Amino acid sequence: MRPEQIRNFSIIAHIDHGKSTLADQLLLKTGAISQRDFRAQVLDDMDLERERGITIKARAVAINYTLHGKTYELNLIDTPGHVDFNYEVSRSLAACEGALLLVDTTQGVQAQTVANAYLALEGDLTMIPVLNKVDMPASRLETVREEVCNTFGFTEEETIGASGKTGIGIEEILEAIVERIPSPPGDPSAPLRALIFDSHVDEFRGVVIYFRIIDGTIKTGDKFRMMQNNKTHECLEIGQFRPHRKPVAVLSTGQVGYLISNIKELKDVRIGDTITLVDRPAAEALPGYKEPKPMVYCGIFPTDNDQFENLRKALEKLSLNDSSFTYEPDANEGLGFGFLCGFLGLLHMEIIGQRLEREEDVDIVQTAPSVKYEMELRSGETITVNSPDKVPDPSTIESWREPICKVNFIIPAESIGGVMKLCQDRRGTYLRTDYLSKERTILIYEMPLAEVIIDVYDKLKSLTRGYGTMDYEIIGYREGDLVKLDVLVANDKVDALSTIVPREFAMVRGRKLVEKLKKEIDRHMFPVALQAAIGGKIVARETIPAMRKNVTAKCYGGDITRKRKLLEKQKEGKKRMKQFGQVEIPQKAFLAILSVDEE
């Protein structure tokens, strides 16, 4: 296939605006799938994606479309919409020349619509605005068309009304892709340069590499080299997803496909690496991708310490398929050996946890999430800390700095008061208000990331009756008055329950935390003291009362001294138990930290 007849495009949109449904219709219309094989979310092949109705992993598929007697190859890369999977979107856009900007006409322009449109503009992509769900009774086609034109500078003629459910406008979209999106640049006769934009592990065939050819040609049997690690492999099979794997003999400039080479070592494949041929290598590698920076950290430990090796292998396998999370070995007094993992957000953390349990069959315990802080010590040294248990002695810390993000809320105008109060309670700094239309506004705040990741999204949804959306980006670090809040269970410090909080909220958070833990930790045969402390100062305390076994049950009638003797013996036993007894802390207790509210 010549580059002039190839079009590479993505579908970008806010979460739930109908990307996967529209992708299904494009496959159906072009004959890539038959009506018999058709099902909702064809490209979402992960159980979690189908259950939650969201896209987590980007997927590539090649379809053929004939216009004016010429056949074109359209390479569609389906992308996620949630803010936590922004990195997946940016990777997919790097393999494209154009994008369908999808907007739900029942909801209008949302926070991720704006964020993803800016990603496309940064990549110099041609955007085609598609107004989806026009068949819905609640559709506000003309109002949303005006919003899209005002926000992104399109003309009304450029917008296309469509429905991913009924197939309205699909033909018009396919024509626009061919006519408006440019063909891929590149030279088929130049040395091979192919960009790896994704990969996954096949149990029987090793690592399957997803790539886009920028220059040159590759065919089955070629020996190729990865330019970052200089390892050489033989190309056993190349092909395209249509939408299932279909082997081909050769792939050329502009095409998107997969490559199988019996690569068993997961670390041999790096997302963003360049593939070139051994006998005719390229002079320089492609720029690749910016490394994603994890924003939220949490410890992942196996429930059984014998499972540590299985957990390590599972994380290694997942990191190949999702390079935006990091992991490093960690040890914890209460939980044993595990890993400290970094994620792009809370949903990302939740998804990885669920994938470990489902796909890899590993039972895990997750600690409370934390963000990365910078600290200046009295010695003049600056350190970064991504877990509360790694915070040094408070007397050695001169100052703390915490990550700050710029948050864009797109909300109905009548919800402004409630959302502003929410932001103030979360230590937000007001920047400005922009109006999309009379009914909808963009509220812009600066807030500490630690406050955003706890529950701002959930609170926003309830304050705006589900109509509010948000998007955030990290803008840097700022000094803050923070302290480490320790939790002591039966006088033993439990590092996994420690959190970092603003000093002004420490006492309230400590009181809420011990109250919550009291409900989650089971009663023992001896009283259990729960304390929240800052350094050596106790700021809150609760006691779980002891369970009482009736040791006098077998005494009926007779002398009272026998009963007293048994009660004294029980009292001595409880005293000894209190000294040496172990308190079991369930997983629920670690998760209780998440739901501790400051209000």
Side-chain angles (χ1 to χ4, degrees):
M1 185 71 73
R2 297 205 314 276
E4 307 88 73
Q5 288 167 263
I6 297 171
R7 302 289 183 272
N8 296 320
F9 71 101
S10 274
I11 304 178
I12 54 174
H14 188 81
I15 191 167
D16 267 347
H17 277 209
K19 291 179 299 302
S20 298
T21 317
L22 186 74
D24 296 346
Q25 280 293 345
L26 291 171
L27 296 182
L28 189 63
K29 196 80 176 174
T30 54
I33 53 171
S34 64
Q35 190 69 51
R36 194 182 69 178
D37 297 333
F38 181 73
R39 62 187 174 116
Q41 291 175 269
V42 173
L43 297 183
D44 292 345
D45 49 9
M46 215 187 286
D47 285 344
L48 273 173
E49 293 180 311
R50 305 191 66 76
E51 270 174 38
R52 287 169 171 258
I54 61 172
T55 302
I56 294 166
K57 289 294 301 166
R59 273 291 311 273
V61 62
I63 52 183
N64 285 347
Y65 175 66
T66 305
L67 182 68
H68 309 315
K70 275 178 83 175
T71 300
Y72 294 88
E73 183 182 292
L74 312 182
N75 290 302
L76 154 65
I77 298 171
D78 185 28
T79 61
H82 195 280
V83 61
D84 283 9
F85 305 114
N86 227 354
Y87 179 63
E88 287 282 324
V89 179
S90 64
R91 285 215 320 250
S92 303
L93 294 181
C96 301
E97 280 74 47
L100 300 182
L101 180 67
L102 199 64
V103 183
D104 184 340
T105 54
T106 64
Q107 295 183 27
V109 174
Q110 302 286 318
Q112 276 304 107
T113 316
V114 179
N116 288 338
Y118 283 133
L119 279 177
L121 285 171
E122 278 172 32
D124 204 22
L125 268 61
T126 302
M127 279 193 287
I128 300 170
V130 177
L131 310 179
N132 197 22
K133 305 188 186 179
V134 294
D135 58 320
M136 299 277 279
S139 170
R140 302 177 292 115
L141 181 60
E142 292 312 315
T143 314
V144 173
R145 181 176 276 140
E146 195 181 315
E147 269 183 27
V148 169
C149 294
N150 291 346
T151 310
F152 305 111
F154 295 115
T155 61
E156 284 191 20
E157 294 72 43
E158 287 177 287
T159 61
I160 300 170
S163 166
K165 199 172 180 183
T166 61
I168 299 168
I170 299 298
E171 197 66 48
E172 209 179 325
I173 291 169
L174 289 165
E175 281 180 27
I177 290 166
V178 170
E179 287 165 1
R180 296 193 214 170
I181 293 175
S183 56
D187 181 2
S189 60
L192 175 73
R193 289 198 306 165
L195 175 71
I196 300 174
F197 68 87
D198 209 347
S199 58
H200 80 270
V201 179
D202 184 299
E203 208 175 321
F204 306 104
R205 310 205 58 186
V207 181
V208 179
I209 299 167
Y210 296 34
F211 65 94
R212 147 84 196 265
I213 300 178
I214 307 297
D215 291 311
T217 303
I218 188 169
K219 56 187 184 295
T220 309
D222 280 347
K223 280 199 160 47
F224 67 90
R225 179 167 62 86
M226 310 270 194
M227 293 187 80
Q228 278 186 18
N229 61 17
N230 271 330
K231 293 212 171 174
T232 303
H233 305 275
E234 187 184 346
C235 181
L236 299 179
E237 181 183 310
I238 55 169
Q240 292 178 306
F241 292 97
R242 289 183 174 267
H244 305 293
R245 289 207 300 248
K246 186 181 176 186
V248 296
V250 63
L251 286 174
S252 186
T253 299
Q255 290 187 290
V256 174
Y258 71 87
L259 185 154
I260 295 173
S261 180
N262 267 355
I263 299 171
K264 297 286 184 248
E265 285 293 315
L266 306 181
K267 57 180 180 291
D268 285 355
V269 178
R270 288 196 61 186
I271 306 294
D273 201 349
T274 304
I275 296 173
T276 192
L277 295 180
V278 172
D279 55 1
R280 195 181 169 213
E284 58 180 44
L286 296 161
Y289 302 108
K290 276 193 298 189
E291 284 289 314
K293 291 191 182 78
M295 291 301 156
V296 178
Y297 292 84
C298 92
I300 292 184
F301 297 84
T303 49
D304 179 358
N305 271 329
D306 295 342
Q307 293 283 307
F308 175 78
E309 199 54 36
N310 291 351
L311 177 61
R312 189 183 61 74
K313 283 178 184 164
L315 285 170
E316 191 180 333
K317 195 170 164 187
L318 273 187
S319 71
L320 173 75
N321 190 237
D322 181 357
S323 60
S324 56
F325 93 93
T326 61
Y327 64 97
E328 58 185 61
D330 193 23
N332 187 293
E333 221 173 277
L335 299 169
F337 291 101
F339 295 89
L340 180 69
C341 301
F343 309 92
L344 299 180
L346 276 189
L347 179 68
H348 190 205
M349 178 180 108
E350 195 185 324
I351 294 290
I352 292 289
Q354 288 186 5
R355 285 184 73 186
L356 282 171
E357 290 188 331
R358 286 187 186 200
E359 295 172 22
E360 309 302 330
D361 198 23
V362 182
D363 285 333
I364 57 167
V365 175
Q366 285 178 276
T367 62
S370 171
V371 298
K372 189 184 274 189
Y373 295 91
E374 287 182 354
M375 289 171 199
E376 202 170 303
L377 304 181
R378 294 192 192 279
S379 62
E381 187 189 352
T382 301
I383 59 167
T384 57
V385 169
N386 49 23
S387 173
D389 57 322
K390 293 186 171 51
V391 174
D393 188 317
S395 61
T396 64
I397 301 169
E398 181 67 43
S399 63
W400 294 67
R401 283 195 294 275
E402 60 182 333
I404 301 292
C405 53
K406 185 174 160 193
V407 191
N408 295 335
F409 297 98
I410 297 188
I411 54 171
E414 69 265 19
S415 305
I416 286 182
V419 176
M420 286 181 103
K421 185 177 185 314
L422 171 70
C423 295
Q424 281 161 3
D425 291 345
R426 296 290 183 274
R427 300 186 289 140
T429 307
Y430 172 76
L431 294 181
R432 67 176 190 276
T433 306
D434 295 335
Y435 281 85
L436 277 174
S437 63
K438 287 177 188 171
E439 295 84 32
R440 300 178 69 232
T441 58
I442 304 180
L443 202 57
I444 302 168
Y445 266 83
E446 278 182 8
M447 287 166 77
L449 178 63
E451 301 289 340
V452 174
I453 67 165
I454 296 173
D455 62 351
V456 167
Y457 188 70
D458 295 337
K459 286 274 190 291
L460 175 73
K461 284 291 176 192
S462 61
L463 283 170
T464 59
R465 302 193 307 283
Y467 289 107
T469 57
M470 63 177 271
D471 169 58
Y472 62 86
E473 60 171 325
I474 309 299
I475 54 172
Y477 280 78
R478 192 175 294 162
E479 200 165 307
D481 188 11
L482 304 166
V483 290
K484 179 189 172 190
L485 185 69
D486 288 315
V487 174
L488 288 80
V489 177
N491 295 323
D492 287 335
K493 194 186 286 185
V494 183
D495 285 335
L497 291 172
S498 300
T499 52
I500 294 168
V501 294
R503 193 182 296 274
E504 57 183 310
F505 298 140
M507 202 171 281
V508 178
R509 178 72 71 92
R511 198 174 302 125
K512 294 255 184 198
L513 189 50
V514 290
E515 281 171 11
K516 198 92 181 177
L517 289 175
K518 186 179 177 181
K519 292 175 191 167
E520 300 295 348
I521 296 176
D522 295 330
R523 286 171 71 182
H524 290 62
M525 295 303 292
F526 53 93
V528 178
L530 303 173
Q531 296 165 306
I534 300 168
K537 184 185 174 189
I538 305 294
V539 293
R541 174 181 170 130
E542 286 285 340
T543 305
I544 301 171
M547 280 198 292
R548 186 160 184 268
K549 184 182 174 186
N550 189 359
V551 289
T552 62
K554 60 179 182 275
C555 301
Y556 47 91
D559 191 3
I560 188 74
T561 54
R562 187 161 172 243
K563 287 186 180 181
R564 279 193 187 138
K565 197 184 282 183
L566 286 168
L567 289 167
E568 283 300 318
K569 196 175 172 187
Q570 184 188 36
K571 197 173 171 186
E572 284 300 313
K574 285 198 174 190
K575 204 172 180 182
R576 200 161 50 250
M577 220 186 260
K578 195 174 176 183
Q579 286 175 326
F580 307 111
Q582 285 288 311
V583 179
E584 270 191 42
I585 304 172
Q587 161 80 356
K588 288 186 297 181
F590 295 103
L591 297 177
I593 295 178
L594 282 173
S595 53
V596 172
D597 222 342
E598 285 177 18
E599 289 170 20

